[in-house]
């Protein structure tokens, strides 16, 4: 072979070599979506509930015989807590302030629900529906139609209806007042990561909460009988449009909480009793749930899982609940769900009101603040909030489906 031919072959081989080594990788990545750059949690976050909860990453203290945490949990932020004692069993970026989506409706309900009688009838106006965000989840509230407050709350809890939220907010004095009331109530609950901009959780600049705060809010809401019943209702009838000369019809609505109702490949979770799910462009999927098993009541919140798994927020919440029930009594708490300000002991060591008499509130009271002493008997089950104690009794009356 001539020197000229050898040189040509060497050049050709050298030119082809990069193509042969690069081409397969290029073909492989052509159909694979580019990896998202994941946000990093703040290096220091709120320490409400305990210093470990303010640290980024997973916080857990396993004792003898405790199961390890499930590996297939991708939520940016999550928490597992004992609803009765308030012990936080494990958490991950618990105080990371993230968009909450419709889980913020728990705060809306906990704030406004006690103020409006269930049997009050209201005729909806065009103005009340004018500011409902584009693409919002709706239950089907129509202007110039009448609805009971009970109907509207079913629309909020089951269908996450922003239309129902805006009507109830109007009945509470308007959206702006309701936002202010919600913020005051969040502050009272010591949900200090939460900043309210819209009452329905619709994406808005600056609107944030955290897995810790959403769990606090859910725990507060579950003290109320009406709240418990609404969030555990799987299906209900909602009023249709009223036509002259005809009896007003209804249509069925189903709860969008897949761990409650099951759907799309998700089975109902054993012992689930609420609470609320959400999903928006900026928040991703969010979920707070409460479940009871063998006398133990747990709360779990998962925010923005990114595994790509179908219905990941429900599956991850279920895995964390399974872990929590198995780990109960075998882990050292890494923090606590703090009581509301008014339920904490006062500086003089007395009651939260500081006047020798406990502050009182009940499910039918007006006003957003103050949890001192409330006693409710439901089917012979006692629920007590004593001065200086914020406690869900072991026999917390969760509704059976």
């Amino acid at each position: 072979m001539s020197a000229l031919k050898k040189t040509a072959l060497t050049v050709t081989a050298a030119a082809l070599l990069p193509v042969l080594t690069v081409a397969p990788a290029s073909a492989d990545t052509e159909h694979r979506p580019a990896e998202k750059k994941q946000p990093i949690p703040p290096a220091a976050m709120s320490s409400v509930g305990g210093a470990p909860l303010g640290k980024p990453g997973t916080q857990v203290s396993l004792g003898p015989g405790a199961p390890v945490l499930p590996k297939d949990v991708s939520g940016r932020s999550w928490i597992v807590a004992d609803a009765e004692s308030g012990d936080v069993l494990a958490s991950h970026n618990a105080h990371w302030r993230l968009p909450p989506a419709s889980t913020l409706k728990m705060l809306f309900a906990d704030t406004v629900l006690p103020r409006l009688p269930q049997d009050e009838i209201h005729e909806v106006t065009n103005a009340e529906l004018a500011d409902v965000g584009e693409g919002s989840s709706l239950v089907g509230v129509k202007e110039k139609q009448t609805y009971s407050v009970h109907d509207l709350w079913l629309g909020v809890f089951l269908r996450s209806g922003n239309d129902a939220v805006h009507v109830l907010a109007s009945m509470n004095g308007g959206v702006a007042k309701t936002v202010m009331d919600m913020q005051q109530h969040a502050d009272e609950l010591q949900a200090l990561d939460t900043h309210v901009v819209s009452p329905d959780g619709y994406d808005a600049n600056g609107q944030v909460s955290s897995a810790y705060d959403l769990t606090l809010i859910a725990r507060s809401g579950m003290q109320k009988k009406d709240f418990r019943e609404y969030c555990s209702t799987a299906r209900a009838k909602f009023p249709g449009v009223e036509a002259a000369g005809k009896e007003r019809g209804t249509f069925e609505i189903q709860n969008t909480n897949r761990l409650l109702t099951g759907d799309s490949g998700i089975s109902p979770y054993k012992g689930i009793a609420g609470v609320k799910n959400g999903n928006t462009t900026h928040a991703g999927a969010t979920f707070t749930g409460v479940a009871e098993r063998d006398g133990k009541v747990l709360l779990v919140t998962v925010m923005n899982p990114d595994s790509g798994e179908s219905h990941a927020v429900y599956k991850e919440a279920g895995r964390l609940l399974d872990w929590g029930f198995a780990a109960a009594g075998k882990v050292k708490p890494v923090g606590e769900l703090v009581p509301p300000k008014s339920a904490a002991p006062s500086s003089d060591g007395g009651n939260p009101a500081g006047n020798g008499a406990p502050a009182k509130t009940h499910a039918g009271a007006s006003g957003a603040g103050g949890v001192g002493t409330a006693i409710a008997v439901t089917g012979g089950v006692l629920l007590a909030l004593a001065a200086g104690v914020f406690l869900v009794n072991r026999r917390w009356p969760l509704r059976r489906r």
Side-chain angles (χ1 to χ4, degrees), residues 115 169 172-182 184:
R115 303 177 176 204
N172 184 58
V175 168
K177 178 181 180 299
T178 299
V179 166
M180 182 178 66
D181 291 344
M182 290 170 64
Q184 290 177 348

Side-chain angles (χ1 to χ4, degrees), residues 48-123:
V48 172
L53 301 182
K55 299 177 181 178
T58 301
Q59 309 300 320
V60 67
S61 180
L62 301 177
V68 297
L69 284 162
K71 293 182 179 180
D72 45 357
V73 177
S74 65
R76 291 183 184 174
S77 175
W78 55 259
I79 192 169
V80 184
D82 187 312
E84 301 163 351
S85 67
D87 289 342
V88 175
L89 306 184
S91 70
H92 181 76
N93 302 326
H95 280 290
W96 193 357
R97 303 180 78 194
L98 298 167
S102 286
T103 46
L104 194 67
K105 289 183 173 77
M106 295 188 298
L107 179 60
F108 171 72
D110 197 36
T111 304
V112 177
L113 194 154
R115 303 177 176 204
L116 303 174
Q118 282 194 358
D119 56 359
E120 182 176 343
I121 303 299
H122 178 76
E123 182 173 333

Side-chain angles (χ1 to χ4, degrees), residues 135-294:
S136 288
S137 53
L138 306 171
V139 66
V141 174
K142 303 297 182 183
E143 61 273 6
K144 300 181 182 178
Q145 299 288 307
T146 59
Y147 301 88
S148 69
V149 167
H150 174 71
D151 293 331
L152 294 170
W153 281 120
L154 287 172
V156 171
F157 278 92
L158 273 66
R159 297 303 303 169
S160 203
N162 289 5
D163 46 359
V165 169
H166 278 251
V167 174
L168 288 165
S170 175
M171 297 176 69
N172 184 58
V175 168
K177 178 181 180 299
T178 299
V179 166
M180 182 178 66
D181 291 344
M182 290 170 64
Q183 189 65 64
Q184 290 177 348
H185 189 45
D187 295 344
E188 152 65 16
L189 295 178
Q190 301 199 64
L192 305 181
D193 298 323
T194 300
H195 179 64
V196 185
V197 179
S198 68
D200 49 22
Y202 192 80
D203 284 335
N205 289 334
Q207 181 150 273
V208 291
S209 190
S210 66
Y212 183 87
D213 280 14
L214 293 173
T215 308
L216 274 188
I217 293 163
R219 191 179 188 221
S220 176
M222 293 298 287
Q223 311 290 323
K224 301 174 177 63
K225 177 177 180 290
D226 293 345
F227 188 106
R228 292 196 303 272
E229 291 184 353
Y230 284 126
C231 77
S232 63
T233 298
R235 294 172 180 81
K237 297 293 185 181
F238 194 80
V241 175
E242 190 171 15
K246 294 184 179 180
E247 183 178 353
R248 189 174 188 179
T250 62
F251 57 92
E252 184 176 272
I253 56 175
Q254 177 175 293
N255 202 311
T256 55
N257 176 356
R258 299 300 181 227
L259 288 191
L260 184 69
T261 61
D263 199 4
S264 304
I266 303 293
S267 299
Y269 188 84
K270 181 183 177 182
I272 196 73
V275 173
K276 191 73 188 72
N277 57 296
N279 198 319
T280 67
T281 301
H282 294 294
T286 60
F287 177 71
T288 297
V290 62
E292 181 180 10
R293 187 177 295 177
D294 298 327

Side-chain angles (χ1 to χ4, degrees), residues 17-30 32:
L17 185 59
V19 176
L20 292 174
T21 56
V22 173
S26 177
D28 183 53
T29 57
E30 184 176 301
R32 188 168 61 226

Side-chain angles (χ1 to χ4, degrees), residues 360-383:
K360 295 183 179 180
T361 184
H362 56 84
S366 61
V371 180
T373 301
I375 297 179
V377 180
T378 306
V381 184
L382 181 66
L383 177 69

